[in-house]
Amino acid sequence: MYALARSLLFRLDPETAHKVTLQGLDQAHRAGLLRSHRVESPVTLMGLRFPNRVGLAAGLDKNADHLDALGALGFGFVEVGTVTPLAQEGNPRPRLFRLPSREAIINRMGFNNAGVDHLVAQVRKSRFDGVIGINIGKNLTTPVERAVDDYLVCLRKVHADAHYVTVNISSPNTPGLRSLQFGAQLDGLLSALKQESAVLDRGRERALPLAVKIAPDMSDEEVDLVAACLANNQIDAVIATNTTLDRAAVEGVTHGDEAGGLSGRPVEAGANRVIRRLRERLPQMPIIGVGGVFDAAGALEKRRIGADLVQLYSGLIYRGPGLVKACAQALA
């Protein structure tokens, strides 16, 4: 059934298809047609009880507008965002491209979102009973030197409603953002967020876990440096990985030379390399593996090499909602 739906959706502009699909899911959910058959295989990580090990990666539901419908597909956790302090349009269209022959997607969305206040209001209305992660970033107009201010604004606003918060420093579509992954900039950002989170935790008598999402385009030595910084700042989890800038796997393919982050099948090897390295350097830290999961075997491989949880995005678009259950059953 999904193969037929996909053939129709893939005739539409990718961003239009994205909007139509989410609206259709909302309507089906309201009509009671989405009856969640979530695989229950609970695991506790970061002090949180995850109903199963399969989550939705950030980026698909930037504003938490479709949280209940997406949750009904069987996810144990859903990560919404990336959200910024102020609403922003993102980059000019076209900014989303399919590469079907490689089961890949290139996007240069640029953190388009309705702002953190809107997202928080939507999360508060949600009835999703899984774990909700909120992915935070900086506004385009905020200089990198002041990026910490934007992250702190978002952290304060989402603290009461998120189950965990992800610090996105690895999107390739906000100029300068990836520079925050290294050295004194990373240490300063994480230190400030941990200090502020500790203050907020005391006020609300809870411990909100902080995760950091990193890029696949790092050498082993760079991964080691990032891992050391995460450990030194007592970060609760790491998400590996975001999209890649590497175009070797899509060279010569239509849209393969478009600017932006490449996701889907071609990022699997790079993401897995980073996961392996992180597990060697961070034997106790929870790792959320994302990138190129298109079947149960792909989910199991990420688990085998060290990921505790797995997130889906491009695989969901190419394979459909049945992928959620297949992966959850395999990981159970």
Side-chain angles (χ1 to χ4, degrees):
M1 184 179 292
Y2 182 73
L4 174 61
R6 193 187 81 171
S7 68
L8 297 174
L9 288 168
F10 273 31
R11 296 178 186 178
L12 301 175
D13 162 78
E15 200 161 343
T16 300
H18 184 92
K19 182 177 180 180
V20 167
T21 300
L22 291 175
Q23 289 176 340
L25 282 174
D26 285 342
Q27 291 171 358
H29 186 256
R30 285 193 292 267
L33 301 177
L34 289 184
R35 302 187 183 279
S36 177
H37 298 289
R38 184 171 67 197
V39 174
E40 297 291 338
S41 179
V43 58
T44 299
L45 294 161
M46 300 185 281
L48 302 172
R49 181 186 181 278
F50 291 81
N52 63 49
R53 294 182 186 266
V54 179
L56 178 67
L60 198 144
D61 189 7
K62 294 178 183 291
N63 298 308
D65 289 335
H66 313 282
L67 185 49
D68 288 345
L70 289 167
L73 298 180
F75 289 106
F77 64 110
V78 172
E79 190 169 315
V80 294
T82 298
V83 68
T84 55
L86 302 176
Q88 58 182 28
E89 292 294 324
N91 291 321
R93 298 188 186 193
R95 55 193 181 178
L96 185 63
F97 306 90
R98 302 187 200 98
L99 291 73
S101 66
R102 297 295 187 271
E103 290 188 301
I105 295 169
I106 291 176
N107 92 85
R108 52 172 180 264
M109 303 300 288
F111 287 173
N112 57 308
N113 72 101
V116 68
D117 290 330
H118 173 89
L119 180 140
V120 168
Q122 295 299 95
V123 169
R124 288 178 179 172
K125 292 194 311 187
S126 169
R127 295 184 178 180
F128 175 56
D129 62 351
V131 170
I132 299 173
I134 299 181
N135 187 301
I136 62 174
K138 81 168 192 71
N139 280 116
L140 174 65
T141 55
T142 302
V144 173
E145 298 77 19
R146 289 175 44 210
V148 64
D149 297 338
D150 278 12
Y151 286 99
L152 287 170
V153 168
C154 288
L155 177 63
R156 292 174 188 130
K157 295 210 175 228
V158 307
H159 186 277
D161 300 285
H163 292 123
Y164 72 88
V165 167
T166 297
V167 183
N168 188 349
I169 51 174
S170 52
S171 169
N173 301 319
T174 297
L177 189 76
R178 285 192 170 190
S179 67
L180 296 173
Q181 293 181 115
F182 304 108
Q185 284 187 292
L186 178 59
D187 189 65
L189 172 64
L190 298 185
S191 176
L193 288 170
K194 283 295 289 187
Q195 289 178 27
E196 182 64 18
S197 187
V199 172
L200 295 168
D201 286 347
R202 287 194 295 272
R204 296 193 171 99
E205 297 184 348
R206 62 172 301 198
L208 177 70
L210 291 183
V212 174
K213 188 168 187 175
I214 65 173
D217 307 316
M218 292 187 195
S219 67
D220 287 348
E221 292 73 20
E222 289 171 330
V223 173
D224 292 350
L225 291 172
V226 170
C229 189
L230 298 179
N232 290 340
N233 284 282
Q234 298 182 308
I235 297 303
D236 299 285
V238 56
I239 301 180
T241 64
N242 213 316
T243 56
T244 183
L245 293 172
D246 186 358
R247 293 294 188 270
V250 296
E251 189 174 353
V253 175
T254 302
H255 300 309
D257 59 350
E258 291 286 351
L262 173 68
S263 63
R265 285 281 195 188
V267 81
E268 182 179 24
N272 287 357
R273 177 186 62 84
V274 172
I275 292 168
R276 288 190 192 94
R277 192 77 178 185
L278 287 169
R279 181 48 72 214
E280 292 173 1
R281 297 297 182 264
L282 301 168
Q284 302 302 320
M285 184 176 291
I287 296 174
I288 302 174
V290 55
V293 177
F294 277 68
D295 50 32
L300 285 170
E301 177 63 7
K302 279 191 167 44
R303 181 81 179 101
R304 186 188 69 80
I305 63 177
D308 300 283
L309 304 171
V310 170
Q311 287 181 326
L312 310 177
Y313 191 137
S314 299
L316 184 67
I317 292 168
Y318 278 98
R319 297 297 174 89
L323 180 63
V324 182
K325 185 176 181 179
C327 291
Q329 285 179 328
L331 292 172

